[in-house]
Amino acid sequence: MNGRPERFTAPANELLVERLRDGFGLTGTKVGCDTGQCGSCVVRLDGRSVKSCLVLTAAAVGSEVATIEGVTTPGGELNGLQEALRQEHGTQCGFCTPGMVMALGELVDNTAGGEAPTEPEIREWLTGNLCRCTGYHSVVRGVQRACAPSAPVEAAAASGASGQEG
């Protein structure tokens, strides 16, 4: 769990989201729809984003589970994607944010050092995450900023670049 081994006993019908929230107190993983449609419960299971409301805890035994609580840097700072989303105002109410960060983190990881994803590719990646506040425009800009090969997040912030269209 977030890089630490955990030992526990779970009922056979327990969902991973229940174990995370109720068993481990990792409440950053949200419960939204309970049907796998909203994406607020996304975590990374062995590096792949999954909806934890659709995964039995037993199916995750022996796997590396990463939650939003585990994505900050060792010093506690926001990671590059989180910082880019902050700079682009890619969050509003914040309910969907943990799930989006976990899902989009896989996209960012998959494109690291390669070609940045296009806007349609980012929007396609977001189809499993519902957001009622942002309209996704600022989220897309945040991902583009996080994936920009020539503009690290910190350098873009220092230069005053906003990435917003005028």
Side-chain angles (χ1 to χ4, degrees), residues 5-100:
E6 295 284 352
R7 296 184 64 82
F8 58 89
T9 303
N13 64 345
E14 180 183 71
L15 296 172
L16 182 56
V17 70
E18 296 168 327
R19 171 60 38 187
L20 296 173
R21 292 180 57 79
D22 302 334
F24 296 130
L26 300 171
T27 57
T29 302
K30 305 298 182 203
V31 177
C33 65
D34 278 330
T35 60
Q37 296 179 27
C38 74
S40 64
C41 68
V42 172
V43 299
R44 303 273 295 271
L45 184 63
D46 292 330
R48 304 234 15 215
S49 54
V50 299
K51 294 179 179 178
S52 62
C53 74
L54 299 178
V55 176
L56 291 173
T57 300
V61 171
S63 297
E64 173 62 31
V65 178
T67 69
I68 191 68
E69 289 88 353
V71 300
T72 56
T73 66
E77 299 88 20
L78 299 177
N79 73 13
L81 174 59
Q82 291 172 304
E83 180 60 24
L85 289 171
R86 185 194 68 77
Q87 290 175 9
E88 294 295 338
H89 308 287
T91 62
Q92 286 187 21
C93 84
F95 191 81
C96 67
T97 304
M100 277 200 194

Side-chain angles (χ1 to χ4, degrees), residues 127-151:
T127 58
N129 294 84
L130 299 179
C131 175
R132 296 177 60 179
C133 301
T134 66
Y136 303 98
H137 304 299
S138 53
V139 175
V140 169
R141 285 193 309 267
V143 174
Q144 290 171 326
R145 179 182 286 246
C147 292
S150 61

